[in-house]
Amino acid sequence: MTDTPARLLTLLSLLQTPREWPGSELAERLRVSARTIRRDIDRLRELGYPVEATLGAEGGYRLVAGAAMPPLLLDDEETVAIAVGLRAGAGHAIEGIEEASVRALAKLEHVLPGRLRHRVSALQSATVAVTRGDGPSVAPRTLTAIASAVAGSERLRFAYLARDGAASRRLVEPYRLVSTGSRWYLVAYDMERGDWRTFRVDRMSEPCATGARFAGRDMPMEAVEFVRRGLGLHGGGTYEVDVWFGCAAADLPGWLRASEPGPGSGPEAGPGPRPRPRPEDGAGAGAGSGDGYGVRVRFETADAPEWLAARLALVGVPFRVRGPEVVVAAVRGLGARLAEAVAP
């Protein structure tokens, strides 16, 4: 291999596997001398790659953790596996890594060779992922198209289906993608309406970057706060929920621990109440906490009460809904239906 840049890339790819490479084996694989391997190792070090050498009759080299993440060199199979995994994760708003997943997927698909793009699409269409089911799934291609338009400051066209079923075509200046943990939202400046808008991504289709660049506008507030207020004004209304759980705050699932901060929201520190179950509560509306401690959580949600009741039941610990009454009624109803399902 006489092409030095190509040889360095191949050498770096080999060193990124978790093993130690004898110099003689590297020389044989790259069809060069051991002296050339030593020079190439020095070049990689000069470029900032932390290559560690070991002494001995053979000597060996391996890439160790450094101060920064080096560019990864992946073979075809590894690239397909990562692309499929990112597509599956990004489409379901996985908590904690939502935006990073979409950014990484957008970068990967931008440079994905055509032969691999076909393999990724074929594999994904032939498989079904088991996910949390907390919200509607989103086509990864839709997310990456939007993310690319956001990153490139390009105006975006798409078809949109409103909550009442009305269909429209939109031209926007995309600002941010925001995940609530169960849904994706796009915050954008709507060109036709001359104002900022929030769009549910699962209701968007046929996103297409126009190629027209735009200068950034000043948002009236942070994108996350804009989405929260939009849910209250245009998403059917949000409401505050007050629930006691018979466990420590650290044992709660992420969607409860990550409740929006603010007055009266999020897990409270310290011991929780010790309510006794009352017969009129119905199955599932409350559970005895015994003499243990618990945690009280107050948060805002736009979920349907019946859906929230099921999510609370799946937490898997004793709980009691303090309010609002619509959620209490939904939990009572769920408990009654579950009790009837197992009645003799």
Side-chain angles (χ1 to χ4, degrees), residues 197-218:
R197 291 288 189 269
T198 298
F199 301 95
R200 267 180 54 172
V201 176
D202 60 286
R203 292 176 178 164
M204 297 171 59
S205 60
E206 305 172 32
C208 177
T210 64
R213 305 281 179 174
F214 63 89
R217 300 175 185 266
D218 292 330

Side-chain angles (χ1 to χ4, degrees), residues 38-301:
R38 288 193 294 270
R39 286 202 304 264
D40 287 347
I41 292 294
D42 289 338
R43 290 190 181 98
L44 290 178
R45 288 169 175 162
E46 291 171 1
L47 292 172
Y49 294 97
V51 182
E52 184 179 78
T54 56
L55 301 177
E58 279 290 322
Y61 303 97
R62 65 189 182 97
L63 193 65
V64 298
M69 177 76 177
L72 292 176
L73 300 174
L74 307 171
D75 61 27
D76 285 4
E77 286 70 24
E78 293 165 342
T79 302
V80 169
I82 290 176
V84 171
L86 285 173
R87 280 188 175 191
H92 293 273
I94 295 177
E95 193 168 342
I97 61 170
E98 308 95 336
E99 295 184 21
S101 295
V102 173
R103 290 199 308 271
L105 182 58
K107 290 179 181 178
L108 181 60
E109 295 206 341
H110 179 67
V111 298
L112 204 62
R115 68 181 189 280
L116 298 187
R117 194 184 305 275
H118 174 74
R119 288 177 58 184
V120 170
S121 298
L123 180 58
Q124 188 178 35
S125 65
T127 59
V128 176
V130 178
T131 62
R132 295 185 313 165
D134 290 358
S137 62
V138 176
R141 184 173 299 177
T142 299
L143 281 173
T144 54
I146 297 171
S148 297
V150 170
S153 298
E154 290 186 63
R155 287 177 179 168
L156 185 73
R157 289 189 183 276
F158 56 89
Y160 193 67
L161 191 65
R163 186 168 181 266
D164 60 3
S168 62
R169 301 286 302 182
R170 302 297 183 97
L171 175 63
V172 303
E173 294 178 351
Y175 181 72
R176 287 287 186 277
L177 273 169
V178 176
S179 171
T180 63
S182 59
R183 291 191 179 100
W184 281 103
Y185 294 90
L186 170 65
V187 176
Y189 188 84
D190 193 311
M191 301 298 295
E192 295 181 2
R193 289 152 180 80
D195 200 2
W196 292 94
R197 291 288 189 269
T198 298
F199 301 95
R200 267 180 54 172
V201 176
D202 60 286
R203 292 176 178 164
M204 297 171 59
S205 60
E206 305 172 32
C208 177
T210 64
R213 305 281 179 174
F214 63 89
R217 300 175 185 266
D218 292 330
M219 271 286 294
M221 63 190 72
E222 292 294 327
V224 172
E225 178 62 20
F226 189 77
V227 170
R228 290 187 68 238
R229 295 193 183 189
L231 289 175
L233 294 173
H234 309 295
T238 60
Y239 54 92
E240 184 176 284
V241 183
D242 189 349
V243 188
W244 173 86
F245 294 93
C247 66
D251 296 328
L252 292 174
W255 67 273
L256 283 167
R257 294 198 310 272
S259 296
E260 289 288 348
S265 64
E268 287 186 358
R274 299 170 186 160
R276 297 289 182 181
R278 295 174 295 173
E280 62 268 26
D281 282 340
S289 59
D291 295 324
Y293 287 86
V295 61
R296 182 181 179 184
V297 182
R298 286 176 287 183
F299 60 96
E300 286 187 5
T301 183

